[in-house]
Amino acid sequence: MNGRRPISAALLGAALLLVTACGGGGGAGDDGKGKSDKAEANKPSQAVVTVAPKDGADAVATSGALKITADKGKLTEVKVADSKGNPVEGDITGGTSWTPAHHLAASTKYKVHAVAKDKDGRESAKDSTFTTLTPKNTFVGTFTPEDGSKVGVGMPFSIRFTRGITHPEDVVKAITVKTEPAVAVEPHWFGNDRIDFRPEKYWASGTEVTVKLNLDGVEGRPGVYGKQVRTVKFTIGRSQVSTVDAKTHMMTVERDGKTLKKIPVTTGKPGYETWEGQMVMSEKLTVTRMNGETVGYGGEYDIKDVPHAIRLTNSGTFIHGNYWGGDAFGNYNASHGCVGLRDVRGGYDSKISAAWFFNQSMIGDVVIVKNTHDKTVAADNGFNGWNMSWADWTK
């Protein structure tokens, strides 16, 4: 005997009954809500996510093909990225539709992850991949100024395309121009293969300009796609604007709004008048050859060693050193349309007018010519869009 009192069968039975009642056990008192709640919690989401194009698709168009939608629910998350992890920006519209903010790159594999919730908060996800088309025909743009350059206040950002563009709006959307300090910059097309960007007035000195070319995958014309992704940065230098008066035969050089120097010049003689208007320096040549045949003047002249030449138009207008002009400078107009400054053959004298002006000038500086009685230079003849009103530029 261990001294403990034995438990009666009646007490043991009562204890078991109490345990059974407390445990729930599915007896007569169970209303079934436990099972119902669990089943409801495990019910799949009613939201359905659809991704176009279909999973694994190839040769997908770079524009208009990608769209993500949700039915019986709202999109809560959309991630699209290329194989390097670069994201594609986009917007959810009305909670049920997502489209990319811009075109996609060509020959690129993309991954899609999208999530939607139904009215009860249950989530449904969709993951897929697709690859964009590989174009048979492409175009690129050559641009001015170059990355990292410093230019004068008149220099636009100009792009010349290797193929004529018939979808200009799509190309413009793929080019962004930002400045510091901020200023409105607008594009203008010259024909179908050139676009220039500029502000309403000359750039402010010190402005930092950043241009992003996101042309890869842009369909510039049917079946012809861009293939460039570039960021170009350039800086606007000090302000230099020079005014040539063909009547007085003088040029006034202004630096940051103050007169720096006045220089005697000669401009185009009767029948060969110099264009009027605002012209932007686009090229500087220490010495160059000038042949009348290249500008439609036959064999009237062929000078193989023109010193200190600065190009103002594509058609052949320069402001340059002139060692053969005699006493024309400051007295009368004797050139075939260029602006001539006194110089010496070989250009060795750094103190003479042409050398001084050449050394003080940079690409993008402005030369304004007036009182020649000729017509205004065409806006696309060089970088001379400043001769257009802002209203015409932005049409």
Side-chain angles (χ1 to χ4, degrees), residues 12 37 82 105 125 130 151 283 310 366:
L12 181 60
D37 291 344
D82 64 19
F130 65 90
V151 294
E283 184 180 24
I310 304 174
V366 179

PDB file of all heavy atoms in Angstrom, residues 12 37 82 105 125 130 151 283 310 366:
ATOM      1  N   LEU A  12     -13.697   9.345 -12.352  1.00  0.00           N
ATOM      2  CA  LEU A  12     -12.890   9.290 -13.586  1.00  0.00           C
ATOM      3  C   LEU A  12     -13.754   9.563 -14.794  1.00  0.00           C
ATOM      4  O   LEU A  12     -13.394  10.307 -15.700  1.00  0.00           O
ATOM      5  CB  LEU A  12     -12.216   7.910 -13.693  1.00  0.00           C
ATOM      6  CG  LEU A  12     -11.308   7.737 -14.937  1.00  0.00           C
ATOM      7  CD1 LEU A  12     -10.191   8.772 -14.923  1.00  0.00           C
ATOM      8  CD2 LEU A  12     -10.727   6.319 -14.923  1.00  0.00           C
ATOM      9  N   ASP A  37     -14.777  29.557 -41.484  1.00  0.00           N
ATOM     10  CA  ASP A  37     -13.799  30.643 -41.517  1.00  0.00           C
ATOM     11  C   ASP A  37     -12.489  30.191 -42.158  1.00  0.00           C
ATOM     12  O   ASP A  37     -11.860  30.927 -42.918  1.00  0.00           O
ATOM     13  CB  ASP A  37     -13.522  31.139 -40.098  1.00  0.00           C
ATOM     14  CG  ASP A  37     -14.735  31.870 -39.522  1.00  0.00           C
ATOM     15  OD1 ASP A  37     -15.628  32.240 -40.311  1.00  0.00           O
ATOM     16  OD2 ASP A  37     -14.762  32.061 -38.291  1.00  0.00           O
ATOM     17  N   ASP A  82      14.604  45.098 -67.536  1.00  0.00           N
ATOM     18  CA  ASP A  82      15.352  44.313 -68.511  1.00  0.00           C
ATOM     19  C   ASP A  82      16.266  43.328 -67.792  1.00  0.00           C
ATOM     20  O   ASP A  82      16.282  43.258 -66.553  1.00  0.00           O
ATOM     21  CB  ASP A  82      16.125  45.221 -69.478  1.00  0.00           C
ATOM     22  CG  ASP A  82      17.206  46.052 -68.785  1.00  0.00           C
ATOM     23  OD1 ASP A  82      17.626  45.702 -67.663  1.00  0.00           O
ATOM     24  OD2 ASP A  82      17.637  47.058 -69.386  1.00  0.00           O
ATOM     25  N   ALA A 105      13.430  49.098 -75.312  1.00  0.00           N
ATOM     26  CA  ALA A 105      14.619  48.925 -76.139  1.00  0.00           C
ATOM     27  C   ALA A 105      14.445  47.722 -77.054  1.00  0.00           C
ATOM     28  O   ALA A 105      13.698  46.785 -76.747  1.00  0.00           O
ATOM     29  CB  ALA A 105      15.850  48.738 -75.255  1.00  0.00           C
ATOM     30  N   ALA A 125      -0.836  37.045 -58.276  1.00  0.00           N
ATOM     31  CA  ALA A 125       0.370  37.534 -58.950  1.00  0.00           C
ATOM     32  C   ALA A 125       0.526  36.891 -60.318  1.00  0.00           C
ATOM     33  O   ALA A 125      -0.001  35.803 -60.586  1.00  0.00           O
ATOM     34  CB  ALA A 125       1.604  37.258 -58.099  1.00  0.00           C
ATOM     35  N   PHE A 130       9.383  38.320 -71.869  1.00  0.00           N
ATOM     36  CA  PHE A 130       9.242  38.434 -73.322  1.00  0.00           C
ATOM     37  C   PHE A 130      10.482  39.141 -73.866  1.00  0.00           C
ATOM     38  O   PHE A 130      11.239  39.769 -73.118  1.00  0.00           O
ATOM     39  CB  PHE A 130       7.967  39.198 -73.706  1.00  0.00           C
ATOM     40  CG  PHE A 130       7.955  40.635 -73.281  1.00  0.00           C
ATOM     41  CD1 PHE A 130       8.437  41.641 -74.106  1.00  0.00           C
ATOM     42  CD2 PHE A 130       7.453  41.001 -72.028  1.00  0.00           C
ATOM     43  CE1 PHE A 130       8.431  42.964 -73.714  1.00  0.00           C
ATOM     44  CE2 PHE A 130       7.442  42.325 -71.621  1.00  0.00           C
ATOM     45  CZ  PHE A 130       7.933  43.314 -72.465  1.00  0.00           C
ATOM     46  N   VAL A 151      30.602  75.874 -74.646  1.00  0.00           N
ATOM     47  CA  VAL A 151      30.240  76.575 -75.880  1.00  0.00           C
ATOM     48  C   VAL A 151      29.653  77.939 -75.563  1.00  0.00           C
ATOM     49  O   VAL A 151      29.295  78.239 -74.419  1.00  0.00           O
ATOM     50  CB  VAL A 151      29.214  75.751 -76.700  1.00  0.00           C
ATOM     51  CG1 VAL A 151      29.840  74.457 -77.198  1.00  0.00           C
ATOM     52  CG2 VAL A 151      27.960  75.456 -75.879  1.00  0.00           C
ATOM     53  N   GLU A 283      32.554  76.395 -86.381  1.00  0.00           N
ATOM     54  CA  GLU A 283      33.843  75.747 -86.654  1.00  0.00           C
ATOM     55  C   GLU A 283      34.943  76.796 -86.635  1.00  0.00           C
ATOM     56  O   GLU A 283      34.757  77.907 -87.135  1.00  0.00           O
ATOM     57  CB  GLU A 283      33.786  75.056 -88.027  1.00  0.00           C
ATOM     58  CG  GLU A 283      35.008  74.260 -88.401  1.00  0.00           C
ATOM     59  CD  GLU A 283      34.873  73.601 -89.765  1.00  0.00           C
ATOM     60  OE1 GLU A 283      34.078  74.086 -90.597  1.00  0.00           O
ATOM     61  OE2 GLU A 283      35.579  72.598 -90.004  1.00  0.00           O
ATOM     62  N   ILE A 310      36.552  81.388 -89.111  1.00  0.00           N
ATOM     63  CA  ILE A 310      35.481  80.897 -88.239  1.00  0.00           C
ATOM     64  C   ILE A 310      34.210  80.784 -89.074  1.00  0.00           C
ATOM     65  O   ILE A 310      33.728  81.784 -89.623  1.00  0.00           O
ATOM     66  CB  ILE A 310      35.244  81.839 -87.050  1.00  0.00           C
ATOM     67  CG1 ILE A 310      36.540  82.051 -86.257  1.00  0.00           C
ATOM     68  CG2 ILE A 310      34.151  81.300 -86.144  1.00  0.00           C
ATOM     69  CD1 ILE A 310      36.422  83.095 -85.145  1.00  0.00           C
ATOM     70  N   VAL A 366      28.068  84.306 -80.906  1.00  0.00           N
ATOM     71  CA  VAL A 366      27.134  84.877 -81.879  1.00  0.00           C
ATOM     72  C   VAL A 366      27.781  86.056 -82.601  1.00  0.00           C
ATOM     73  O   VAL A 366      28.451  86.896 -81.981  1.00  0.00           O
ATOM     74  CB  VAL A 366      25.844  85.344 -81.183  1.00  0.00           C
ATOM     75  CG1 VAL A 366      24.881  85.963 -82.209  1.00  0.00           C
ATOM     76  CG2 VAL A 366      25.176  84.177 -80.460  1.00  0.00           C
TER      77      VAL A 366
END
